[in-house]
């Protein structure tokens, strides 16, 4: 559950502050972004290839910087973000937040 700052932020994400949710040897690091409440995976390549990803930076920061400003709605027929396929998919698949997809 370390809080990190990642630059540049992953695709479709504006915020750079996230909490580490899990680490997978094949997939990389799963992050939860506080502003959007979304989960994103960062593959290992940016950590290992500075040529292709010269701007990539990730660092632990103060936990006080992580403030959930939006939470996925529970119940009401909506999904929470759920990662499926660990152990048998080569790449992560994250179900979209139904409530955000309908907007």
């Amino acid at each position: 559950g370390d809080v990190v700052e990642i630059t540049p932020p992953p695709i479709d994400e504006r915020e750079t502050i996230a909490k580490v949710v899990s680490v997978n040897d094949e997939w990389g690091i799963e992050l939860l972004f506080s502003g959007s409440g979304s989960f994103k995976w960062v593959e290992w390549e940016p950590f290992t290839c500075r040529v292709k990803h010269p701007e990539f930076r990730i660092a632990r920061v103060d936990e006080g910087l992580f403030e959930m400003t939006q939470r996925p709605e529970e119940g009401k027929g909506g999904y929470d973000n759920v990662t499926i396929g660990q152990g048998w998919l080569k790449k992560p698949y994250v179900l979209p937040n139904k409530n955000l997809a309908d907007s």
Side-chain angles (χ1 to χ4, degrees), residues 75-96:
K76 299 181 185 177
Y79 317 114
D80 285 340
N81 286 324
V82 177
T83 301
I84 60 173
Q86 275 189 321
W88 52 276
L89 289 178
K90 289 296 180 192
K91 297 234 181 221
Y93 181 79
V94 178
L95 292 174

Side-chain angles (χ1 to χ4, degrees), residues 12-15 17-19 21 30-40 66-73 79-82 94-97 100:
D12 298 330
E13 194 62 53
R14 292 185 206 122
E15 197 170 352
I17 303 296
K19 184 176 281 193
V21 177
E30 182 181 19
L31 301 174
L32 169 62
F33 287 85
S34 60
S36 64
S38 65
F39 294 86
K40 303 283 185 195
F66 184 84
E67 296 180 16
M68 290 298 293
T69 57
Q70 181 175 348
R71 296 179 190 268
E73 289 187 34
Y79 317 114
D80 285 340
N81 286 324
V82 177
V94 178
L95 292 174
N97 181 311
L100 293 176

Side-chain angles (χ1 to χ4, degrees), residues 2-79:
D2 288 335
V3 175
V4 295
E5 180 174 21
I6 182 167
T7 54
I11 295 172
D12 298 330
E13 194 62 53
R14 292 185 206 122
E15 197 170 352
T16 60
I17 303 296
K19 184 176 281 193
V20 176
V21 177
S22 67
V23 177
N24 182 288
D25 290 341
E26 292 184 33
W27 292 0
I29 296 178
E30 182 181 19
L31 301 174
L32 169 62
F33 287 85
S34 60
S36 64
S38 65
F39 294 86
K40 303 283 185 195
W41 282 91
V42 177
E43 296 180 293
W44 292 120
E45 184 176 296
F47 290 91
T48 60
C49 185
R50 303 295 290 170
V51 173
K52 288 184 181 177
H53 305 277
E55 302 296 319
F56 179 78
R57 304 281 186 275
I58 188 167
R60 287 179 60 200
V61 294
D62 186 274
E63 289 183 15
L65 295 174
F66 184 84
E67 296 180 16
M68 290 298 293
T69 57
Q70 181 175 348
R71 296 179 190 268
E73 289 187 34
E74 295 181 20
K76 299 181 185 177
Y79 317 114

